[in-house]
């Protein structure tokens, strides 16, 4: 870290550029700027212009709005205004640095190819102007290029990857806290967040998200405390149950960098040592390995920048995907006739989030029961998830589709009825998100088309009217998917 150069520039200001690291604590870039003792200014750039940049989806834009308001309020208590600007990353940052007379600019590194290209342009332009450019890892435990297999190649399989990460040099210590910051006396001109229209108005579809989430660092840290106390004990055993509060729900906080994985790495162990959680070692190991899947997704993105667009295994290019708009629409709306699939898709639409087990079920259903290209599913998730992530979303879709690096084999076709009965055994999840089925007895809740006429009548259900019949028969779909797979052998 080029701290020496940053401290040798007299009292010249430092510009801190925020992007997907919207927090004050354990933020190595901000900590390095604060450590210089020099005046600093804070800038966030909404970049939807740089070549190849993928604009955020609707749910993520809603989250970003809340997260920026929270960050601005936190910085304001330290006297630092958050300057907001919209435009090309390199151009905006360079212009701001010049306007400020900054000697140094600091930021947290990003990993999608177009983001890296924009940041490389920013770095070379700053260097040309004699302004120091300093980037930090504030997003990952290990960056994509930092770990290699015995042959010096990137990993393609999760288990050896994670073993290598665990065996590599110790995870960095938490960055210094920044109790005080020295604001630059002349604030940069800022755009008004309201004019960015990140939140929906007509119609306002964000009510369910507002009820479910508190974007921002304070919300993230409160969720960590709750998770360590109430959810981590038993996590290894319960994490597949969508009917229970069985996982951390930290994914959107991690996505926007309101929380670092390094804090979770150290925090879980510290909590056990301090007796702050009754969790067992196996719970921690399982939880950290899930964080490991996030690391692995970035490791894959690093070696395969087209992760969201092209099959990791090129043999899948010949797969006979079906173009079926009506089926895609039924899946998106949660009207497939399979209760666990419909519950998941409605939870997603309502709250911007879905439990991991159900993500696997609905993704498998789209790709294998409907034979619809996983990229249509990835796009829908990109638009509707508050945690939509350039690495984890694409890697997970390819994992389910069987086209990924370390993927579930395509022929493993999840049966939505058996999955529902196993992981939502009393039907609480389905009853919550598909209320028109709530009065069905447990025995037929996950397979309403097998219920007798009287049972359906007593439950107030008319199949095909109040709730759809299955849009595809499971046995037929399974046979069709396996036949399609034979095309690419
Ligand atoms: P926990 O079980 O508490 O896990 C803790 C953290 O580990 C999560 O917050 C997340 O950051 C990480 N994590 C857990 N599982 C995975 C995984 N399989 N892959 C990568 N990271 C993981 N996760 C995203 O963050 N963004 C996405 O866009 C995304 N898209 C997905 C799409 C599909 C089709 C599938 C099957 C999974 C996807 N996931 C995605 C992974 C996973 O479903 C979510 O991370 C998880 O459900 C978030 O809930 P949680 O925070 O309660 O998880």
């Amino acid at each position: 870290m080029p701290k020496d150069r940053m401290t040798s520039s007299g009292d010249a200001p430092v510009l801190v550029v925020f992007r997907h690291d919207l927090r004050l604590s354990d933020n190595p870039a901000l900590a390095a700027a604060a450590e210089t003792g020099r005046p600093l200014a804070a800038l966030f750039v909404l970049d939807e212009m740089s070549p190849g940049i993928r604009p955020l989806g609707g749910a993520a834009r809603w989250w970003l709005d809340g997260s920026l308001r929270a960050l601005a309020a936190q910085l304001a208590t330290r006297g630092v205004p958050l300057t907001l600007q919209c435009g090309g990353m390199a151009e905006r940052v360079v212009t701001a640095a010049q306007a400020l007379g900054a000697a140094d600019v600091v930021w947290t590194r990003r990993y999608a190819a177009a983001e890296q290209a924009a940041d490389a342009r920013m770095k070379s332009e700053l260097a040309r102007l004699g302004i120091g450019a300093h980037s930090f890892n504030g997003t990952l435990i290990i960056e994509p290029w930092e770990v290699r297999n015995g042959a010096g190649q990137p990993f393609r399989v999760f288990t050896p990857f994670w073993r290598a990460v665990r065996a590599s040099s110790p995870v960095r210590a938490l960055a210094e806290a920044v109790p005080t910051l020295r604001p630059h006396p002349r604030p940069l001109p800022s755009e008004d967040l309201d004019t960015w229209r990140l939140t929906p108005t007509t119609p306002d579809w964000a009510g369910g998200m507002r009820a479910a989430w508190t974007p921002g660092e304070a919300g993230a840290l409160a969720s960590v405390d709750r998770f360590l106390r109430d959810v981590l004990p038993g996590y290894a055993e319960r994490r597949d149950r969508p009917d229970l509060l069985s996982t951390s729900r930290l994914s959107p906080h991690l996505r926007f960098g309101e929380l670092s994985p390094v804090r979770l790495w150290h925090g879980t162990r510290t909590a056990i040592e301090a007796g702050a959680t009754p969790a067992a070692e196996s719970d921690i190991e399982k939880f950290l390995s899930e964080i490991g899947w996030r690391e692995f997704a970035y490791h894959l993105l690093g070696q395969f920048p087209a992760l969201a667009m092209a099959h990791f295994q090129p043999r899948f290019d010949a797969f006979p995907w079906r173009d079926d708009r009506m089926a895609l629409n039924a899946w998106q709306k949660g009207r497939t006739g399979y209760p666990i699939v419909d519950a998941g898709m409605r939870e997603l639409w309502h709250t911007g989030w879905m439990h991991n087990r159900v993500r696997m079920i609905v993704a498998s259903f789209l790709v294998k029961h409907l034979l619809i290209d996983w990229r249509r599913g990835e796009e829908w998730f990109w638009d509707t998830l508050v945690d939509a992530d350039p690495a984890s979303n694409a890697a997970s879709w390819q994992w389910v589709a069987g086209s990924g690096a370390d993927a579930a084999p395509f022929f493993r076709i999840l049966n939505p009825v058996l999955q529902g009965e196993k992981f939502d055994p009393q039907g609480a999840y389905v009853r919550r998100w598909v209320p028109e089925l709530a009065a069905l007895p447990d025995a037929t809740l996950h397979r309403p088309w097998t219920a007798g006429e009287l049972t359906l009548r007593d439950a107030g259900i008319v199949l095909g009217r109040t709730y759809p019949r299955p849009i595809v028969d499971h046995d037929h779909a399974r046979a069709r998917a396996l036949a399609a797979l034979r095309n690419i052998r």
Side-chain angles (χ1 to χ4, degrees):
M1 189 178 76
K3 242 187 268 175
D4 45 346
R5 274 178 47 214
M6 284 180 63
T7 47
S8 67
S9 301
D11 209 32
V14 182
L15 177 62
V16 182
V17 182
F18 286 94
R19 284 95 61 94
H20 59 303
D21 55 341
L22 305 179
R23 65 180 185 274
L24 299 193
S25 69
D26 190 39
N27 185 329
L30 177 64
E35 204 184 321
T36 64
R38 285 152 43 193
L40 61 83
L43 171 69
F44 176 88
V45 178
L46 180 66
D47 181 7
E48 297 184 314
M49 283 176 65
S50 293
I53 289 286
R54 187 177 191 182
L56 293 180
R61 288 168 77 83
W62 172 82
W63 189 284
L64 177 64
D65 183 89
S67 197
L68 286 174
R69 287 180 200 279
L71 179 69
Q74 268 182 304
L75 283 168
T77 62
R78 289 159 174 83
V80 177
L82 177 63
T83 297
L84 302 172
Q85 293 189 359
C86 197
M89 183 66 64
E91 297 73 20
R92 290 300 181 156
V93 169
V94 169
T95 307
Q98 285 180 299
L100 201 66
D104 296 284
V105 179
V106 300
W107 65 82
T108 298
R109 283 191 281 278
R110 306 184 292 175
Y111 305 97
E115 294 170 346
Q116 288 191 321
D119 290 358
R121 274 199 308 282
M122 168 163 89
K123 190 169 189 169
S124 66
E125 187 59 14
L126 289 169
R128 198 180 61 77
L129 295 166
I131 301 171
H134 314 272
S135 67
F136 298 81
N137 170 15
T139 303
L140 295 172
I141 289 169
I142 200 151
E143 294 187 291
W145 51 86
E146 283 184 313
V147 60
R148 288 287 180 263
N149 66 18
Q153 298 297 317
F155 286 92
R156 293 184 156 209
V157 179
F158 173 73
T159 305
F161 163 80
W162 191 232
R163 211 181 295 125
V165 173
R166 302 297 303 255
S168 63
S169 49
V171 171
R172 71 164 171 81
L174 292 181
E176 293 293 319
V178 286
T180 53
L181 298 172
R182 189 176 154 209
H184 187 267
R186 256 184 312 110
L188 292 162
S190 177
E191 293 171 26
D192 179 354
L193 188 53
D194 289 336
T195 65
W196 286 3
R197 298 178 181 278
L198 295 174
T199 57
T201 45
T202 39
D204 173 10
W205 41 257
M209 300 200 297
R210 277 194 294 275
W213 302 103
T214 310
E217 186 175 3
L221 296 180
S223 298
V224 173
D225 288 346
R226 200 170 45 239
F227 168 66
L228 292 174
R229 195 184 57 232
D230 301 336
V231 185
L232 185 59
Y235 175 86
E237 206 180 308
R238 288 154 40 111
R239 57 179 288 276
D240 270 322
R241 292 281 301 271
D243 55 333
L244 309 172
L245 179 54
S246 60
T247 65
S248 70
R249 298 173 63 93
L250 289 171
S251 50
H253 297 295
L254 284 162
R255 162 64 180 84
F256 286 90
E258 299 164 358
L259 174 70
S260 75
V262 170
R263 176 177 286 280
L264 289 172
W265 178 283
H266 294 304
T268 43
R269 197 141 312 275
T270 314
I272 278 213
E273 281 157 15
T277 174
E281 193 64 33
S282 55
D283 293 323
I284 295 200
E285 283 306 311
K286 190 70 201 158
F287 178 68
L288 290 182
S289 80
E290 296 307 320
I291 299 289
W293 276 100
R294 177 175 179 271
E295 301 285 323
F296 185 55
Y298 276 92
H299 188 72
L300 292 176
L301 185 65
Q303 57 185 290
F304 191 61
L307 199 58
M309 288 166 285
H311 296 111
F312 196 94
Q313 297 178 41
R315 72 189 177 104
F316 272 82
D317 291 349
F319 194 87
W321 301 116
R322 289 170 65 242
D323 182 15
D324 184 342
R325 299 289 157 89
M326 272 169 70
L328 177 62
N329 191 263
W331 178 81
Q332 290 171 336
K333 297 265 156 55
R335 299 198 54 80
T336 66
Y338 284 93
I340 191 78
V341 175
D342 295 341
M345 296 309 291
R346 296 184 198 184
E347 178 183 31
L348 172 61
W349 182 252
H350 198 72
T351 68
W353 186 88
M354 194 196 299
H355 186 279
N356 179 59
R357 168 57 52 180
V358 191
R359 291 188 202 202
M360 284 160 50
I361 298 169
V362 303
S364 172
F365 188 84
L366 183 79
V367 170
K368 297 173 187 179
H369 284 72
L370 302 180
L371 291 186
I372 292 178
D373 193 327
W374 61 268
R375 285 165 285 207
R376 300 296 84 73
E378 196 275 347
E379 286 158 9
W380 183 253
F381 272 30
W382 182 264
D383 197 29
T384 53
L385 276 173
V386 284
D387 64 23
D389 182 276
S392 299
N393 197 33
S396 301
W397 273 98
Q398 295 233 33
W399 185 88
V400 173
S403 62
D406 177 6
F410 185 91
F411 59 76
R412 197 174 297 155
I413 296 170
L414 298 182
N415 179 326
V417 174
L418 300 183
Q419 290 282 311
E421 289 174 348
K422 182 167 178 192
F423 296 112
D424 182 28
Q426 283 85 44
Y429 181 71
V430 162
R431 288 195 173 89
R432 174 165 185 208
W433 294 110
V434 192
E436 65 267 37
L437 297 180
L440 267 184
D442 292 357
T444 48
L445 183 67
H446 289 285
R447 46 177 100 212
W449 61 94
T450 65
E453 220 172 286
L454 272 182
T455 311
L456 287 172
R457 206 181 57 205
D458 286 354
I461 297 166
V462 182
L463 283 181
R465 227 182 58 221
T466 61
Y467 184 71
R469 293 179 190 283
I471 58 169
V472 63
D473 170 70
H474 172 70
D475 291 335
H476 162 75
R478 188 168 188 284
R480 183 174 66 174
L482 294 176
L485 183 64
R486 283 195 279 279
N487 277 282
I488 63 164
R489 281 246 162 91

